[in-house]
Amino acid sequence: MDEHDDTTNTENRLEPYEVFVQWERGKAHEHAEVVSASDHEMALTLAKRNIDVRSDPVSVWVVPRREITASQDDTELTPSTDRAYRNVSWYAQNTAGGSH
C-alpha cells in the first residue's frame, strides 16, 4: 500500500457524525441521519446535501458520535419524590436570613 494514497488515508479518518435538523423555527432539533466524514465541515456539507433534497430546514447540527455522552445509570433518570419546594413553608425555611 502506498503511504501517499490520499483516498486510503481519508477513508481511515472517517468517523460517524449524528445529524440533527430543525424543521420549523422555535421547534426542537430532531435526529435525522448519520453521515461519515473526516471533519465537522465535511459532515455539515454532507448533511446539508442530504437534507436539502427532502425539504428546506431552518437549522442543521452535526455532532461527532464520540462526543455524545449517555447516562449509564438508570437511577439518574428517576424523578425526585421530594416535592417540599411546592409548599409555601419550604420557602420560609430556606430563605430565612437571606436578603431579597
Side-chain angles (χ1 to χ4, degrees):
M1 179 169 78
D2 184 6
E3 292 178 19
H4 302 290
D5 183 3
D6 290 335
T7 305
T8 303
N9 289 337
T10 301
E11 289 173 1
N12 290 336
R13 292 190 317 245
L14 294 180
E15 66 176 304
Y17 281 77
E18 302 294 333
V19 179
F20 298 87
V21 178
Q22 183 183 39
W23 297 107
E24 295 178 43
R25 195 165 307 284
K27 300 285 185 175
H29 283 71
E30 300 174 3
H31 186 266
E33 64 181 357
V34 178
V35 295
S36 294
S38 59
D39 58 34
H40 293 69
E41 291 79 20
M42 180 181 179
L44 190 56
T45 299
L46 291 170
K48 285 180 177 180
R49 285 184 181 172
N50 292 342
I51 303 283
D52 284 343
V53 169
R54 293 181 282 186
S55 71
D56 191 24
V58 174
S59 173
V60 178
W61 293 348
V62 293
V63 181
R65 185 177 286 166
R66 65 180 157 72
E67 295 294 329
I68 297 174
T69 304
S71 63
Q72 299 298 317
D73 186 2
D74 289 342
T75 59
E76 292 178 22
L77 304 175
T78 304
S80 171
T81 57
D82 178 17
R83 303 267 197 266
Y85 63 88
R86 292 183 174 184
N87 190 326
V88 175
S89 63
W90 181 87
Y91 291 97
Q93 293 170 359
N94 291 291
T95 59
S99 59
H100 296 282

